[in-house]
Amino acid sequence: MPISRVGLVVHGGRREAVSGAQTVRAWCARHGIGCVDIDVWQGEGSRHTPREEVQAAGSPDLIVTLGGDGTFLRGARIAAQKDIRVLGVDLGKVGFLTETRVADVERALDAVNAGESECEERMTLTMRASRLLEVPSPEEAVLCYGRGPALPAPQPATDPDEEDDPWGIALDVTALNDIVVEKLARDHQVSVGVYFAGRLLASYSADGVILATPTGSTAYSFAAGGPVLSPRMRAVIFTPVAPHMAFNRTVIANADEPVALRVLPHSGRAAVSVDGQPRAILEPGDWIGVIASPRPLRLVRLTPTNFYGRLRERMRLTDAPATAADGEAAPMFRPSSPVPDDLRHLQLPPPP
């Protein structure tokens, strides 16, 4: 589908990102395509909600982000609201989400406009909660010190009929990487009961707990000792952070299995962050439910994703010292010959 309107999310502190944004604006002007800067800031001391950002941008059908994965997450938060495609231009240091180099941005836009690109869907998470959530001003000052004001508190996805609904309040929250519940005070851990599909798994005392998507498996969950999952999967990854208990393993739930976290009465207060952004404070007795969202994020891809090659490159994986590097072509894959019938259902890279 040709592009009709582009939204730009730019890391204004990086000269290369600002220059790349000028290139995008010039390309749009040559093709008679509307282009608007999406500003997540709203004057001093406040920020837009994702819904407000989409409305202010005039509902673009393509969002281009110029920066690293953090900038991309800002754009993804907006794009998920209206099923908008996202093209990430890579200027970061790790770059698992972005893939187009800034020097290639015009070629990428040409391909998208000509219908020569594909959309890769990534699973996202959303939330329910026992009550409407917020970050009180004193805690916001601490949580956001040195990084600007927090995003607005999560709004209800629909008008709640009753705040004491046992199913909780559906919140207008989208997480591409993870939803994290962690302690507020350094000397007081958070204690949470963790429920999978309505059944208690265990009560944890820990620095925090992470609920991540397969896309987010290479982010905070990975740093906390969690596994790496293919981003093509649909699963919810539960990883405790420094738990004070013998069972410290990650548990992976299927995407249709909800995960609920209840802050226990003897726990300290807890902070909730979504994709690294502080969004709420939980009191003892509060609970949140984390579920797979019905709205995936649509990433623009010009070539098939080489996730495992990128994993090796970006994580700087090295071969075992006792082995010689395997310089041969991948076994069970011969691009010069037809794919056998029993392998046609598999995801294989195209011939070079």
Side-chain angles (χ1 to χ4, degrees), residues 40-91:
V40 299
W41 301 99
Q42 186 181 15
E44 287 294 326
S46 61
R47 297 177 69 175
H48 290 291
T49 66
R51 196 174 298 173
E52 290 169 340
E53 290 167 345
V54 172
Q55 291 172 348
S59 297
D61 58 356
L62 176 70
I63 289 177
V64 179
T65 72
L66 294 107
D69 279 357
T71 306
F72 183 90
L73 288 170
R74 287 166 55 188
R77 176 165 51 86
I78 303 163
Q81 289 288 317
K82 292 288 185 180
D83 196 30
I84 302 170
R85 298 171 290 173
V86 185
L87 173 65
V89 179
D90 185 12
L91 295 166

Side-chain angles (χ1 to χ4, degrees), residues 23-310:
T23 301
V24 174
R25 294 187 192 99
W27 182 92
C28 288
R30 289 198 304 272
H31 291 79
I33 293 171
C35 182
V36 60
D37 285 85
I38 300 176
D39 185 8
V40 299
W41 301 99
Q42 186 181 15
E44 287 294 326
S46 61
R47 297 177 69 175
H48 290 291
T49 66
R51 196 174 298 173
E52 290 169 340
E53 290 167 345
V54 172
Q55 291 172 348
S59 297
D61 58 356
L62 176 70
I63 289 177
V64 179
T65 72
L66 294 107
D69 279 357
T71 306
F72 183 90
L73 288 170
R74 287 166 55 188
R77 176 165 51 86
I78 303 163
Q81 289 288 317
K82 292 288 185 180
D83 196 30
I84 302 170
R85 298 171 290 173
V86 185
L87 173 65
V89 179
D90 185 12
L91 295 166
K93 297 177 181 177
V94 179
F96 272 100
L97 299 173
T98 56
E99 68 167 21
T100 301
R101 297 183 308 163
V102 69
D104 297 331
V105 67
E106 288 188 288
R107 181 179 65 85
L109 291 169
D110 285 336
V112 175
N113 199 40
E116 297 171 355
S117 64
E118 296 183 357
C119 276
E120 174 185 327
E121 292 191 347
R122 294 287 183 93
M123 173 185 157
T124 61
L125 298 174
T126 189
M127 279 175 50
R128 281 182 170 259
S130 54
R131 62 176 176 87
L132 288 175
L133 302 177
E134 61 179 354
V135 180
S137 297
E139 284 78 7
E140 179 179 343
V142 174
L143 291 173
C144 299
Y145 180 76
R147 60 190 297 179
L151 285 167
Q155 300 299 304
T158 57
D159 292 331
D161 295 328
E162 299 179 9
E163 289 210 11
D164 60 353
D165 186 335
W167 291 99
I169 299 172
L171 299 178
D172 188 16
V173 166
T174 301
L176 178 61
N177 270 351
D178 49 44
I179 294 173
V180 178
V181 175
E182 54 195 338
K183 66 181 184 181
L184 268 179
R186 184 176 181 182
D187 62 345
H188 203 156
Q189 289 198 308
V190 63
S191 296
V192 292
V194 180
Y195 296 78
F196 281 77
R199 298 290 184 268
L200 177 67
L201 172 69
S203 295
Y204 285 76
S205 180
D207 284 358
V209 294
I210 304 166
L211 291 165
T213 65
T215 295
S217 70
T218 54
Y220 190 7
S221 178
F222 175 82
V228 175
L229 272 64
S230 165
R232 292 170 50 83
M233 294 179 65
R234 286 183 51 81
V236 181
I237 307 162
F238 168 79
T239 302
V241 182
H244 278 220
M245 57 191 297
F247 185 72
N248 61 357
R249 298 290 193 262
T250 291
V251 177
I252 300 174
N254 197 49
D256 63 358
E257 296 176 314
V259 182
L261 307 174
R262 185 189 348 253
V263 182
L264 300 178
H266 60 281
S267 173
R269 300 167 78 202
V272 179
S273 63
V274 178
D275 284 345
Q277 295 286 321
R279 300 301 304 272
I281 300 295
L282 297 181
E283 304 287 347
D286 290 340
W287 61 261
I288 63 168
V290 177
I291 55 178
S293 171
R295 300 179 304 196
L297 184 71
R298 301 173 64 215
L299 307 187
V300 172
R301 295 301 192 206
L302 306 182
T303 58
T305 302
N306 180 14
F307 171 72
Y308 300 103
R310 180 166 293 190

